[in-house]
Each structure stands twice: as C-alpha cells, then as structure tokens.
Amino acid sequence: MVSFAKMFNKYDFLILDDIISTVDLSHKERIIRLLFTEFRDYKFIITTHNKLWFRQVKNFAEKYQINGSFIFAEIRTLDEETGPVLSINMFSKEVIENHLRNGDTF
C-alpha cells in the first residue's frame, strides 16, 4: 500500500473507505501506525462504519500527540439538498444522552 500510494498519487491526498472491514483486530493498530508514520504529510478522508476502530484511531492520535492535525467527525444525518451534517464533538454529554434515549448503548 505504501509504495503504491506514494508512486501513483501525485497529490498527497488519500481517500480510504472502510479499509479495516476485513482486517482482524491485531492488525488494526498496525494500519493506524502505518498511516500516521508513512503518510504524515498526506491529507486523508477515512470512512468507517466501525465505531470501535474510529475510537482506536482517535486514541492513537491523542496518544502520539498528533490529534491537532485531524478532524474527527461523524455524519449525523444526510440531507439531499445540503449534503451530510457532521458532528465534530461526537462524545459530548448531549450526544451520549441522545444515544441512550434512542436505545443505542454501544
């Protein structure tokens, strides 16, 4: 992945769509570390449906003090006219209470 992306991507920008869907738990942190070390100068859009992996990426960024370079957001709703509505502060008290009210205890 590293050599392919660096050789054929002249824009230093990567869009990665659910790249861990077939990866077992032990390899997920390796992928995060690879992205943060080998592609430090790249811009990313990483999508995932996996909330646990999302949190792992966020925690890794905080642990290695590189979280200032990232915006972690969740698509809250999708409007046909205006596009996605993002929630930047996903783990605020209000959001957590909303999840609990709706029966989502994940």
Side-chain angles (χ1 to χ4, degrees), residues 28-86:
K28 289 178 183 175
E29 188 170 327
R30 284 187 188 159
I31 292 171
I32 298 167
R33 190 180 319 256
L34 176 75
L35 292 174
F36 288 164
T37 58
E38 293 295 323
F39 295 96
R40 186 172 280 278
D41 297 329
Y42 281 63
K43 291 181 177 71
F44 295 97
I45 293 178
I46 301 173
T47 65
T48 186
H49 292 91
N50 188 312
K51 290 181 182 181
L52 179 59
W53 193 70
F54 178 88
R55 289 180 187 151
Q56 286 175 312
V57 173
K58 193 172 191 306
N59 290 340
F60 190 90
E62 290 169 1
K63 178 179 177 182
Y64 291 94
Q65 299 175 348
I66 54 177
N67 57 331
S69 302
F70 298 92
I71 298 172
F72 293 93
E74 180 178 9
I75 297 174
R76 301 301 297 158
T77 60
L78 185 60
D79 184 282
E80 289 182 20
E81 291 183 27
T82 59
V85 176
L86 301 179

Side-chain angles (χ1 to χ4, degrees), residues 83-95:
V85 176
L86 301 179
S87 173
I88 303 297
N89 192 10
M90 297 168 314
F91 301 112
S92 70
K93 181 180 177 188
E94 179 183 321
V95 172

Side-chain angles (χ1 to χ4, degrees), residues 15-32:
I15 298 174
L16 305 170
D17 182 31
D18 231 345
I19 60 172
I20 53 91
S21 61
T22 59
V23 176
D24 62 30
L25 190 60
S26 64
H27 289 89
K28 289 178 183 175
E29 188 170 327
R30 284 187 188 159
I31 292 171
I32 298 167

